[in-house]
Amino acid sequence: MLSRARVVASRASFRTSVASRSLATAFNSNVDTSGIPIVDFANFGSLSFDQRRETARQVVDGFKNVGFVYLGNHGISDRIVQEAFKKSDEFFRLPLEKKQALAWEDPRSNRGYVQQGRERVTTSQDEAEIARLRASAPDYKETMEIGRDWDSRWKNMWPQESDVPGFKTFMLDFFQICHELHVRVMRAIALGLDLQENFFQEKINGQDHNLRLLNYPAVKTDLLRKDGQARAGAHTDYGSLTLLFQDSVGGLQVQNPTTKQFAPAPPIPGTIVINAADLLACWSNDVLRSTLHRVVAPPSQPVNEFEAVTPKRQSIAFFCNPNFDAEISCLPHCFGPGNPKKYDPVTTEEYIVRRLRETYM
């Protein structure tokens, strides 16, 4: 269970470096990040405006050039991240009937358990095409979706306390910790775009986010080699930002915006992968990129001379969204002569609910 003392300690650590050793290793390693920059976020807590602005510039440049950054010294301790993976694993080990009792029901709610094969992420918005992809090449993953717990319309779906002790308490605290990091990154984005640092504050304070626990079960590697098959197909995310926590297995690939080739984004200890999503791209008139990415099979493990198994993988995605009633329209400084507005205004809820309806059965 994540105690209040630990939550307070984690929030306080936003002002200090909690992963300096891991981040130093990342900077000095030979890890190929496929052009995704590693940004040390510690200086964004500085009293020096110049240091905050330089960090903000690095974050924004990463989203402009690649759509992704690795964020180090982000303030969420490794201990809390590992506890999140532990609780997630405990949930997915429950019998299927107990998980199905919490089944996802409505895209407006976007809460509950999604069994393997029900979602097929894709860039397509054609219902027939999505149905074909789901039937021929389903995503090999199961998920648990958690939203803000005080919502008056939509309720989270929790396992029994006796089945996964401490699950609800921990996940609600983790949700809040992730929201607070999201707020700080959005402050950096505002500063990096030459806006007032608190520009987004009233547009993101509703916490209309989605905490997604993902489990990619071990699967025969041959099944992942079918045409169009992946653990999660190529897609962009729907909201403003995604905070992605990876385990050590790997499999995330990001499309290079120039070559259009997919390249690995390997796990780097002490960092979170953060990507810009569709609504941030709309907000910024594509100044900030919502980049295609997918999850593919990491190296397989041989079972015998004829078969191999791709190992189990866990990840946790915190899908950051603007307030559901916020109108997303082009930001200042992101349009002008020779650079017209590309997108009509849309509310967060309109866009996200439409995309969820398209991708779920």
Side-chain angles (χ1 to χ4, degrees), residues 136-138 140 219-227 229-230 308:
S136 63
Y140 277 95
V219 61
K220 288 185 178 180
T221 304
D222 283 349
L223 293 176
L224 294 178
R225 290 176 176 160
K226 293 165 57 180
D227 184 40
Q229 187 65 66

Side-chain angles (χ1 to χ4, degrees), residues 92-103:
F92 287 117
R93 288 180 182 276
L94 290 176
L96 182 58
E97 60 270 19
K98 290 196 173 186
K99 293 183 289 188
Q100 287 179 326
L102 309 173

Side-chain angles (χ1 to χ4, degrees), residues 182-229:
H182 153 248
V183 168
R184 298 188 74 240
V185 176
M186 292 299 290
R187 291 179 69 91
I189 290 170
L191 191 58
L193 292 175
D194 296 322
L195 302 169
Q196 291 294 319
E197 196 171 318
N198 63 354
F199 178 89
F200 293 107
Q201 184 61 36
E202 293 185 354
K203 302 171 181 65
I204 61 173
N205 59 7
Q207 301 192 32
D208 287 313
H209 311 308
N210 173 231
L211 172 60
R212 168 177 285 191
L213 313 179
L214 296 106
N215 182 51
Y216 300 84
V219 61
K220 288 185 178 180
T221 304
D222 283 349
L223 293 176
L224 294 178
R225 290 176 176 160
K226 293 165 57 180
D227 184 40
Q229 187 65 66

Side-chain angles (χ1 to χ4, degrees), residues 256-269:
N256 182 295
T258 302
T259 67
K260 305 305 180 184
Q261 299 298 308
F262 283 91
I268 298 178

Side-chain angles (χ1 to χ4, degrees), residues 38-251:
I38 304 172
V39 177
D40 185 344
F41 206 50
N43 283 340
F44 196 70
S46 171
L47 294 176
S48 165
F49 177 77
D50 288 343
Q51 286 184 325
R52 293 203 310 278
R53 184 169 57 186
E54 173 58 21
T55 304
R57 183 196 62 77
Q58 293 175 28
V59 170
V60 165
D61 282 354
F63 291 149
K64 283 181 177 179
N65 296 328
V66 190
F68 278 72
V69 299
Y70 287 94
L71 201 71
N73 285 330
H74 44 72
I76 303 178
S77 72
D78 289 343
R79 181 178 61 176
I80 287 176
V81 174
Q82 292 309 310
E83 183 70 11
F85 278 120
K86 178 175 178 290
K87 290 297 182 191
S88 177
D89 185 58
E90 289 173 2
F91 171 79
F92 287 117
R93 288 180 182 276
L94 290 176
L96 182 58
E97 60 270 19
K98 290 196 173 186
K99 293 183 289 188
Q100 287 179 326
L102 309 173
W104 186 100
E105 296 176 344
D106 193 307
R108 295 168 298 173
S109 166
N110 195 25
R111 288 161 165 81
Y113 171 71
V114 181
Q115 68 185 56
Q116 186 172 300
R118 187 174 184 186
E119 182 189 26
R120 194 358 168 136
V121 291
T122 173
T123 57
S124 175
Q125 298 184 28
D126 180 83
E127 291 185 9
E129 173 65 8
I130 294 170
R132 184 193 68 78
L133 288 170
R134 187 183 294 113
S136 63
D139 287 351
Y140 277 95
K141 68 176 188 294
E142 57 180 342
T143 72
M144 180 61 174
E145 316 289 336
I146 299 166
R148 61 182 191 179
D149 205 47
W150 63 89
D151 196 288
S152 59
R153 290 187 300 167
W154 310 111
K155 302 300 180 185
N156 282 316
M157 305 177 76
W158 299 107
Q160 294 293 319
E161 177 67 16
S162 57
D163 288 334
V164 191
F167 181 85
K168 176 179 178 179
T169 299
F170 179 92
M171 290 303 167
L172 289 179
D173 286 337
F174 190 65
F175 185 102
Q176 188 65 33
I177 290 168
C178 290
H179 166 71
E180 292 175 6
L181 176 57
H182 153 248
V183 168
R184 298 188 74 240
V185 176
M186 292 299 290
R187 291 179 69 91
I189 290 170
L191 191 58
L193 292 175
D194 296 322
L195 302 169
Q196 291 294 319
E197 196 171 318
N198 63 354
F199 178 89
F200 293 107
Q201 184 61 36
E202 293 185 354
K203 302 171 181 65
I204 61 173
N205 59 7
Q207 301 192 32
D208 287 313
H209 311 308
N210 173 231
L211 172 60
R212 168 177 285 191
L213 313 179
L214 296 106
N215 182 51
Y216 300 84
V219 61
K220 288 185 178 180
T221 304
D222 283 349
L223 293 176
L224 294 178
R225 290 176 176 160
K226 293 165 57 180
D227 184 40
Q229 187 65 66
R231 278 183 152 177
H235 64 284
T236 57
D237 296 336
Y238 307 149
S240 51
L241 297 171
T242 301
L243 316 181
L244 180 66
F245 304 85
Q246 301 190 76
D247 68 6
S248 61
V249 173

